[in-house]
Structures are given as structure tokens and as C-alpha cells.
Amino acid sequence: MINNVFPKSTIDLLSSVLTVFFKFGLMFGGFVFFLYCLRIGYFPTGVSLGDGLIFIFCAGSFSIIFLLFMIPNICLGLLMLSFISFLSKRVVLRLNKNKWRYDVDKDIYNVRYFNLFIVLMSLSAIIIIIGSNWPAGKKIDSFDDMLSSFLSFSLLVSFLVPLLNGMMFYLLVYVTKKRSLLYDYRSQSVKSDHSNTNFSMFIGAVVFLMMVITAGLGGKGGEMLVGSMKMLGIRTENVIVHIKKPYYTYAKLHQINLLPSEFGESYMRMEKADILMSGFGDNVVVGFEESKDKLIIPKDYVFVVHE
């Protein structure tokens, strides 16, 4: 029936593409989940083959969060790059009046990304940067104290990361445009010697470098991992946990404040707890707000109540 609607070649192509996406999602999602396990210091046991689908969801959720963060980040970088290019051109024009001979028509002097979308996304990125670097919890008696607390190396890095990402994105757009022009020119008489595989590798390398810059230099990789796990429900925070005997004894050993549970005498209640991992494997990993310790409890011995 399907063959009557779509040609066999089209069906084979779609099948190949879906297979590649499935394998890539499985590998990338598994890598994301592996990094999260390293972050919390726990690797689940009792994982079945069906749990492999979670890896694909991990890849999807991480990609969504990465894009939601990177789009404003790149837009801010492009806006900063546009201002630098604009000021550089003004300086070059002034130098040319003094008998210098700079070519103001070069692409580097004509980077302009001042459209409404770029500006709005840049404003949202600036708000995020200011909010993440705001000196919360510090005693501030004067404007000078606030300024000295706010102006820090982390703030400099927070603006350096968008600039680097904007430069990488502009490089990608620039190479793509030059390559398409070269193809249009050569297609008239000369066979192109450019490889699609090499160009795909170039795109992959640029995207990988942007991820390294954001996660490494910007320090946002951990937040993206946590956000992707919260999106999937693997991690939940600020919940009430009812732990069954004898496992609540381990919480007492960690000097965690426990309260009587409504589930009966065989349970104790823990408030404002973080579930670092659940729904994956045989155990539930419980973290504490006031401690870096964690409890690993069989999932049949714990009930989680969302406030």
C-alpha cells in the first residue's frame, strides 16, 4: 500500500535516515546520561534493554535545552560582533583619511546583525547573564560594594562565551555562503572538487567547539544536564520523601532531620529532598539540601510526594 504512494527509493532513504537518527540519538543520549551519572556520583543497576529509549529522550531533552540557551547566546554574540565590526570600520575610515589604505569593503568590516529578533534575543541573554552573576546573599552597604561584587571575572567570562559562540556561528555562515557561491560558479563548466563529507565534518567540528565553549568555559554544562533530567522527570527537587524501615536509619546516620510519616510507623518523612535519579534501574537516589551526601534506596522502599 505504501509502495503505491511513495517510490521504493524514497522509502529506503527515509528508512536509512531514521536508522541513522536512532543510532545517533542512542549514542548521544547515552553519553549525556553518562555525564549526569558522573555528576551525581551514581551509576544505576538493573537497567533493561527497554531503558535504552530513555537515552533517546535524554538526547532530545538536552538538545532542546541546549538550543533554548544557545539561541539567545549566539544572538548576543552576533550583536557584540556587529558592534565591534561597526566600530572597526569607523576607525578604518578615519585612518584612511590619513593616507592609510585599508579595504573597508572586506566582510570583517561589514558584519551587521541589528534586526529585531537578534536584539530581543540578546536582551534576554543579557538578563540571564545579569541574573546569574547578581551578588545574591552578600551584604551590600553601598553602590560601590554592589559594583565591586557584580564586576567579576565570571561576569567577563559570561560575556566572552557569547562573543566566541557568535564568532563561531558567523564563521559557519561565512564558509557556507562562500561554498555555495563557489558551487554556483563552478557548476557552469568545472566539476567541483569540494566534498560534502568534509563540509559536514566542518559543521560538526564548529558545533562541537561551541558546545565545549559553552559547557567548559561558560560552565553551563552541568545546568543543562540537570535541566534535561528534570524535563524527563528523572530528577525532581524540593519534594517530600517517605522512606521505609530500615533505610531511614541511614538518613539518621547522616544527621538528616526526619519526621513521622502518614504512611505508618514503618516509615519516616523527609522534607525538601532532591531526587537525583528515579525511574531508571532498581534504586532511587535521594539527595539532601544541607548535605552533599546521598541515599541509595530500593524503589520499593520509598514514596515521593510532590509539594
Side-chain angles (χ1 to χ4, degrees), residues 140-207:
I140 298 175
D141 298 325
S142 64
F143 178 76
D144 292 336
D145 292 340
M146 184 186 71
L147 199 61
S148 61
S149 300
F150 181 66
L151 297 178
S152 59
F153 179 74
S154 62
L155 179 66
L156 176 64
V157 172
S158 296
F159 280 101
L160 178 62
V161 169
L163 179 59
L164 292 176
N165 283 328
M167 293 172 64
M168 298 297 294
F169 184 81
Y170 176 74
L171 175 64
L172 182 61
V173 173
Y174 177 81
V175 172
T176 302
K177 287 182 177 180
K178 291 296 183 181
R179 182 174 182 270
S180 63
L181 292 175
L182 185 62
Y183 266 122
D184 293 338
Y185 170 75
R186 289 191 171 187
S187 62
Q188 298 179 7
S189 57
V190 181
K191 184 179 179 181
S192 175
D193 56 0
H194 281 65
S195 170
N196 290 329
T197 303
N198 292 338
F199 185 64
S200 300
M201 292 176 62
F202 170 76
I203 295 176
V206 171
V207 173

Side-chain angles (χ1 to χ4, degrees), residues 34-306:
F34 173 76
L35 292 179
Y36 178 72
C37 291
L38 285 178
R39 179 179 176 84
I40 66 174
Y42 171 78
F43 291 88
T45 58
V47 179
S48 63
L49 185 61
D51 292 327
L53 291 174
I54 298 181
F55 294 157
I56 299 178
F57 293 136
C58 287
S61 62
F62 184 84
S63 299
I64 292 172
I65 291 177
F66 181 76
L67 287 176
L68 289 176
F69 178 81
M70 287 300 295
I71 290 175
N73 194 271
I74 292 174
C75 288
L76 177 58
L78 291 175
L79 189 64
M80 295 169 66
L81 189 62
S82 298
F83 275 113
I84 294 173
S85 176
F86 174 78
L87 294 176
S88 299
K89 187 172 184 177
R90 305 305 298 177
V91 172
V92 167
L93 288 173
R94 185 172 293 275
L95 291 174
N96 284 348
K97 292 181 179 180
N98 298 324
K99 298 182 179 181
W100 293 81
R101 292 294 180 266
Y102 288 103
D103 186 7
V104 294
D105 293 328
K106 286 185 176 180
D107 293 330
I108 192 173
Y109 298 126
N110 295 280
V111 181
R112 299 293 184 270
Y113 290 95
F114 294 123
N115 59 69
L116 181 61
F117 177 79
I118 295 291
V119 173
L120 291 178
M121 289 293 100
S122 300
L123 288 176
S124 65
I126 292 174
I127 293 174
I128 293 174
I129 291 174
I130 293 177
S132 60
N133 289 275
W134 191 260
K138 296 182 180 180
K139 186 178 180 180
I140 298 175
D141 298 325
S142 64
F143 178 76
D144 292 336
D145 292 340
M146 184 186 71
L147 199 61
S148 61
S149 300
F150 181 66
L151 297 178
S152 59
F153 179 74
S154 62
L155 179 66
L156 176 64
V157 172
S158 296
F159 280 101
L160 178 62
V161 169
L163 179 59
L164 292 176
N165 283 328
M167 293 172 64
M168 298 297 294
F169 184 81
Y170 176 74
L171 175 64
L172 182 61
V173 173
Y174 177 81
V175 172
T176 302
K177 287 182 177 180
K178 291 296 183 181
R179 182 174 182 270
S180 63
L181 292 175
L182 185 62
Y183 266 122
D184 293 338
Y185 170 75
R186 289 191 171 187
S187 62
Q188 298 179 7
S189 57
V190 181
K191 184 179 179 181
S192 175
D193 56 0
H194 281 65
S195 170
N196 290 329
T197 303
N198 292 338
F199 185 64
S200 300
M201 292 176 62
F202 170 76
I203 295 176
V206 171
V207 173
F208 177 75
L209 286 175
M210 292 172 69
M211 293 180 66
V212 171
I213 290 171
T214 305
L217 183 60
K220 300 299 182 181
E223 297 178 14
M224 293 181 185
L225 287 173
V226 171
S228 62
M229 296 301 134
K230 290 172 68 175
M231 181 183 292
L232 294 176
I234 294 177
R235 178 184 178 119
T236 52
E237 297 179 352
N238 196 22
V239 296
I240 299 174
V241 179
H242 298 265
I243 305 175
K244 190 176 181 180
K245 187 178 180 180
Y247 287 95
Y248 64 67
T249 305
Y250 298 110
K252 292 181 179 180
L253 294 176
H254 289 283
Q255 298 181 347
I256 303 300
N257 184 30
L258 296 177
L259 301 172
S261 172
E262 295 83 358
F263 283 83
E265 296 181 356
S266 59
Y267 286 87
M268 295 293 287
R269 186 176 84 248
M270 180 194 308
E271 296 185 346
K272 295 183 179 180
D274 295 336
I275 304 299
L276 305 182
M277 182 179 294
S278 64
F280 198 94
D282 295 330
N283 301 317
V284 174
V285 184
V286 183
F288 316 114
E289 184 179 3
E290 65 272 17
S291 174
K292 293 184 178 180
D293 297 327
K294 56 183 176 293
L295 283 179
I296 302 173
I297 309 170
K299 57 186 178 183
D300 294 333
Y301 287 79
V302 60
F303 290 94
V304 180
V305 179
H306 296 268

